[in-house]
């Protein structure tokens, strides 16, 4: 279980304090597929980075499985079983795809073993296994390789920051299938930052975040009409 308790994150902007996350409290239950959505600038990506340990909150607590991880490093959180997928995946010059999958899994996987993870994200393994993780790969290819790495880690909690950002429709279609499979298995806890209707439609829980606050949350059936353009839902986006 992930518990966010009275979480606040501020930055200095033009000599003034700007509140990005504002006294936010929320609990993510185990094995739930939770999508956090809301207007641009509402604090969604910042919240993802706070959970992963890329940013440290100004105040409040982050508790994971009963342990206070508020000031833990990214490495320590990763060792506890928290994975994070960047909005823009990192390119690693000189590192091959198979090496990245092996590092993620923590095992000296065979080629066949690494290929299984690539196949899960819809990539023809023989075309990618020995390629460098560099500028020769498209944004969609990188996203799927990064997700293959997250799957290989088999962590209890995985956070994805806008996986649809910067990719084409074909790649997005394939990514959605990957998330549908992850949701169906219910083997771990998934948090996705997303605006996309197709991702919202496979969520167990939807959270609307605006102005650094949770405006409303609930099951997919409760929240979809509000998020997808009803008069009531539009008030969150003004």
């Amino acid at each position: 279980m992930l518990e966010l308790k009275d979480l606040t994150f501020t930055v200095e902007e033009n000599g003034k304090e700007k509140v990005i996350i504002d006294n936010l409290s929320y609990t993510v239950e185990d094995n739930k597929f939770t999508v956090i959505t809301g207007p641009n600038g509402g604090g969604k990506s910042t919240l993802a980075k706070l959970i992963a340990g890329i940013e440290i909150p100004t105040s409040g607590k982050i508790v994971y499985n009963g342990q206070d991880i508020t000031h833990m490093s990214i490495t320590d959180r990763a060792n506890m079983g928290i994975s994070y997928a960047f909005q823009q995946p990192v390119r690693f010059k000189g590192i091959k795809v198979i090496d990245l999958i092996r590092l993620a899994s923590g095992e000296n996987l065979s080629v066949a073993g690494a290929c299984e993870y690539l196949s899960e994200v819809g990539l023809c393994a023989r075309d990618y296994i020995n390629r460098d993780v560099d500028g020769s790969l498209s944004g969609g290819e990188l996203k799927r390789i990064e997700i293959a790495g997250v799957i290989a880690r088999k962590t209890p909690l995985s956070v994805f920051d806008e996986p649809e950002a910067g990719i084409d429709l074909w790649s997005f279609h394939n990514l959605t299938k990957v998330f549908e499979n992850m949701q169906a298995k219910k083997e771990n806890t998934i948090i996705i930052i997303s605006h996309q209707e197709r991702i919202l439609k496979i969520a167990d829980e939807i959270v609307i975040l605006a102005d650094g606050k949770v405006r409303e949350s609930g099951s997919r059936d409760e929240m979809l009409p509000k998020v997808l353009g009803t008069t009531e839902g539009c008030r969150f986006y003004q």
Side-chain angles (χ1 to χ4, degrees):
M1 182 184 293
L2 178 71
E3 300 170 88
L4 310 175
K5 299 183 176 183
D6 303 320
L7 212 60
T8 295
F9 180 75
T10 63
V11 296
E12 188 174 311
E13 189 174 276
N14 299 322
K16 295 182 179 179
E17 183 180 75
K18 181 178 180 180
V19 178
I20 308 298
I21 299 295
D22 189 3
N23 199 36
L24 183 151
S25 293
Y26 191 75
T27 298
V28 179
E29 301 290 342
D30 290 341
N31 301 324
K32 291 281 189 178
F33 189 106
T34 300
V35 178
I36 300 175
T37 193
N40 291 331
K44 300 183 301 298
S45 290
T46 298
L47 183 60
K49 290 174 182 175
L50 288 168
I51 294 168
I54 296 169
E55 300 284 4
I56 301 298
T58 306
S59 63
K61 287 184 178 182
I62 302 173
V63 178
Y64 181 56
N65 290 339
Q67 185 172 351
D68 188 344
I69 65 168
T70 311
H71 298 285
M72 272 191 182
S73 68
I74 300 171
T75 302
D76 287 340
R77 294 186 202 206
N79 289 335
M80 285 187 71
I82 299 175
S83 292
Y84 177 80
F86 289 87
Q87 190 176 128
Q88 298 296 332
V90 180
R91 299 175 188 267
F92 300 95
K93 197 170 184 179
I95 295 181
K96 294 189 180 299
V97 171
I98 188 169
D99 298 323
L100 194 64
I101 301 298
R102 283 171 173 165
L103 283 168
S105 70
E107 302 174 23
N108 187 23
L109 292 172
S110 65
V111 170
C115 284
E116 286 184 16
Y117 292 113
L118 292 175
S119 297
E120 279 197 52
V121 296
L123 293 176
C124 181
R126 67 175 178 271
D127 294 337
Y128 290 93
I129 198 70
N130 288 312
R131 288 183 65 176
D132 286 341
V133 188
D134 60 11
S136 67
L137 295 167
S138 71
E141 290 169 332
L142 277 170
K143 285 279 175 93
R144 282 190 275 171
I145 289 167
E146 182 181 46
I147 292 171
V150 170
I151 294 171
R153 288 201 67 217
K154 299 176 182 176
T155 50
L157 171 61
S158 299
V159 182
F160 298 88
D161 186 6
E162 294 196 30
E164 70 270 16
I167 63 171
D168 57 82
L169 280 174
W170 176 252
S171 294
F172 176 65
H173 175 73
N174 283 289
L175 278 180
T176 305
K177 285 185 175 180
V178 174
F179 290 131
E180 286 172 349
N181 289 337
M182 294 172 80
Q183 191 271 349
K185 290 178 180 177
K186 296 191 183 300
E187 293 176 346
N188 55 8
T189 305
I190 308 292
I191 299 173
I192 298 186
I193 309 299
S194 181
H195 298 286
Q196 288 294 329
E197 181 176 342
R198 285 189 62 182
I199 292 178
L200 288 163
K201 283 184 173 179
I202 58 176
D204 294 314
E205 300 284 332
I206 296 174
V207 178
I208 297 176
L209 186 68
D211 298 321
K213 298 178 180 180
V214 173
R215 297 297 185 180
E216 194 166 350
S217 64
S219 69
R220 174 182 61 234
D221 292 342
E222 291 173 324
M223 297 302 296
L224 267 180
K226 299 178 181 182
V227 174
L228 300 182
T230 66
T231 303
E232 177 69 10
C234 285
R235 66 191 172 92
F236 295 109
Y237 293 82
Q238 294 174 351

